[in-house]
Amino acid sequence: MEYLSRTLKSLKDIPDFNFHPRCAKMNLTHIYFADDLIMCCRADKTSIQLLLDKFNHFSKVTGLMANLDKSSIYVAGVNQGFKEMICSDFQFKMESLPFKYLGVPLSSRKLSIQQCMPLVEKITNRIKCWTSKLLSYSGRLQLIRSVLFEMHTYWGQVFLIPKKIIQLVNSVCRIFLWTGSYSPSKRALISWDRICMPVSAGGLNVINFEWWNKAALCKLMWAVHSKKDALWIKWIHSVYIKKKDFNSMPTPNQACWLVGKIFDIRDRYINIESFANINKFCRREKFSIQKMYTLSRPQYPKVGWKALLLGTSIPRHNFILWLALNHRLNTVDRLAAWGIQVDLGSLLCKNGQNETMTHLYFECQYSRSIWGILLNWIGEKHQIGSWEEEVKWLSARTKNSRAYGSILAFLFAALIYDTWIERNMRRFQGKETDMTKMIQDIVLQLHIKGQQKAK
């Protein structure tokens, strides 16, 4: 490949060869990757012939031949007759942009929504497989965080995803989280924007795709500003910046869509920070998208109960606790308000009172008794109050002692989860679990969690 590169570079010494208009300042004739080669020149027959002569010379010397079935030509700025002549004389098949590289469409123009739809289709196909597994809320959340975000990151590193596609991806994730399917639904216990908030603000710290995309753009801006040795940065400087001050120059009138976006994000960044401080977003001299995302997203007010979610609880416990802290558990009073016909009585204490969340925790004798036994077991002398009082007391108590606070947070999350599961079993399956067994299970879970943390 080094020999091929030197052979193609020698074209600059041939007077009849014309560089591609956007590549002349850099004497750029080719770009090659692991298994791909892009050769470029002006769309005239002489230049194309000279380019192919150099490549054919390389083929004769090395014995490496091009596979014409996998080769295509892309021509712009000429009439249809010239295109047909090129195809017939050089035996190439004519293609149009975008073309795919490593499965990702590349184009000189902004990709349309239709061209980005394969991203949404891949996500939907994954969801179709997941629905058969009957995942819990926490399981769906974990898949959204890992697989879906990795898909978005893979595409987002290559081009900017249109805002409508980001909204569509968010919608697919939201529907899957709350329903476990991909069918359109407006059902959502909590808004997606709140889910994307940090835990300290009462969210679940799911990556906000729109803000992450902006942070990824800032990485491109930083690269252009730092004048790295990458070919694409040299190209932008030679074609658009032209020795001007990137920090203050206006957006070039003829800038392609990606360069225009880099200049737009530059203007947005300058309103937040100065370029003198841009290195604070770097780690080991490399720009950190994660750090930029964390520092540039809106600063939300913190909630008092954040320590309860930051403890060492089990993920499924944490999710139900998070719903309870946001008052979004589907207790019968909420179901009745939606017009759903359901027995309003509490099935845990069976004293005739209507089921509400505040009754479930801790007006109900069932949950109150279990919580009291757990507190006595760890030697905590505390008068149990209402739901709001317990949350306020625990929030303050978990701040004072890290290790002891983690134990309290774990027991509280386990109690909220197991009580909710018991309530659902009694209401929908007609089954009951002995209170003693539930307490033993919670204690055993704490013991196992402690051993795992010790390892």
Side-chain angles (χ1 to χ4, degrees), residues 109-374:
R109 298 180 179 180
K110 184 177 180 180
L111 293 172
S112 66
I113 293 179
Q114 190 62 37
Q115 291 164 343
C116 293
M117 283 306 294
L119 172 64
V120 181
E121 291 173 0
K122 284 185 178 181
I123 294 173
T124 304
N125 290 336
R126 290 293 185 96
I127 290 175
K128 288 178 181 179
C129 297
W130 298 341
T131 52
S132 61
K133 299 180 182 179
L134 300 177
L135 295 170
S136 64
Y137 282 137
S138 59
R140 298 172 198 164
L141 179 65
Q142 182 58 34
L143 285 169
I144 288 172
R145 281 174 167 165
S146 57
V147 179
L148 300 187
F149 178 67
E150 287 302 322
M151 283 184 177
H152 177 273
T153 302
Y154 173 69
W155 281 57
Q157 292 293 337
V158 183
F159 60 85
L160 292 176
I161 300 179
K163 188 173 182 179
K164 288 185 178 180
I165 287 294
I166 292 177
Q167 293 172 347
L168 186 55
V169 170
N170 287 342
S171 177
V172 170
C173 294
R174 176 188 61 80
I175 293 169
F176 174 65
L177 176 63
W178 297 117
T179 67
S181 68
Y182 59 94
S183 302
S185 172
K186 295 184 178 180
R187 176 187 171 190
L189 297 178
I190 296 178
S191 69
W192 186 256
D193 289 339
R194 185 166 182 82
I195 291 173
C196 293
M197 289 182 182
V199 176
S200 60
L204 292 176
N205 205 30
V206 174
I207 292 292
N208 184 306
F209 290 164
E210 184 175 354
W211 282 95
W212 185 270
N213 222 26
K214 292 178 180 178
L217 258 181
C218 286
K219 182 177 181 179
L220 302 183
M221 176 201 68
W222 169 80
V224 173
H225 168 75
S226 303
K227 298 181 181 179
K228 298 294 182 182
D229 294 332
L231 178 62
W232 71 272
I233 299 176
K234 292 180 180 179
W235 183 83
I236 288 177
H237 275 273
S238 66
V239 175
Y240 295 112
I241 299 179
K242 301 176 181 177
K243 298 183 179 180
K244 297 177 183 177
D245 184 10
F246 172 71
N247 303 350
S248 57
M249 67 175 289
T251 303
N253 293 330
Q254 302 299 322
C256 64
W257 67 274
L258 178 57
V259 175
K261 286 295 182 181
I262 293 176
F263 275 87
D264 290 344
I265 207 68
R266 177 206 62 176
D267 297 337
R268 175 181 172 274
Y269 174 82
I270 291 175
N271 293 330
I272 303 173
E273 287 279 357
S274 66
F275 274 103
N277 298 327
I278 196 170
N279 287 329
K280 79 176 187 178
F281 301 105
C282 297
R283 291 174 181 169
R284 298 177 181 177
E285 298 183 355
K286 292 185 178 180
F287 190 89
S288 171
I289 298 178
Q290 176 67 54
K291 196 170 184 180
M292 182 69 195
Y293 170 79
T294 302
L295 295 177
S296 63
R297 65 181 173 180
Q299 300 301 309
Y300 303 100
K302 296 182 179 180
V303 294
W305 39 261
K306 62 178 182 178
L308 300 181
L309 290 177
L310 294 173
T312 56
S313 298
I314 299 172
R316 63 178 182 274
H317 293 183
N318 257 6
F319 197 95
I320 297 301
L321 174 61
W322 175 70
L323 288 177
L325 291 169
N326 283 282
H327 294 271
R328 289 297 186 272
L329 289 178
N330 283 334
T331 48
V332 294
D333 59 322
R334 285 173 55 82
L335 298 177
W338 297 337
I340 300 175
Q341 300 296 323
V342 62
D343 181 15
L344 299 179
S346 173
L347 299 180
L348 292 180
C349 55
K350 300 178 181 179
N351 59 3
Q353 291 186 326
N354 291 345
E355 180 190 279
T356 63
M357 208 196 81
T358 54
H359 173 77
L360 200 61
Y361 313 104
F362 291 92
E363 295 174 5
C364 176
Q365 190 59 39
Y366 183 87
S367 58
R368 194 180 189 90
S369 299
I370 296 176
W371 184 227
I373 293 172
L374 292 174

Side-chain angles (χ1 to χ4, degrees), residues 15 52 100 198 221 248 395:
L52 291 178
K100 286 189 176 182
M221 176 201 68
S248 57
S395 299

Side-chain angles (χ1 to χ4, degrees), residues 62-84:
T62 62
L64 301 174
M65 306 297 294
N67 186 341
L68 295 181
D69 292 334
K70 295 183 178 180
S71 303
S72 304
I73 187 169
Y74 301 86
V75 183
V78 296
N79 57 46
Q80 186 62 33
F82 182 83
K83 291 181 181 180
E84 294 174 355

Side-chain angles (χ1 to χ4, degrees), residues 396-421:
R397 197 74 173 85
T398 50
K399 292 179 182 178
N400 298 332
S401 174
R402 196 168 190 177
Y404 184 73
S406 295
I407 295 174
L408 269 177
F410 184 94
L411 292 176
F412 186 70
L415 168 69
I416 301 304
Y417 175 82
D418 285 357
T419 302
W420 183 248
I421 295 299

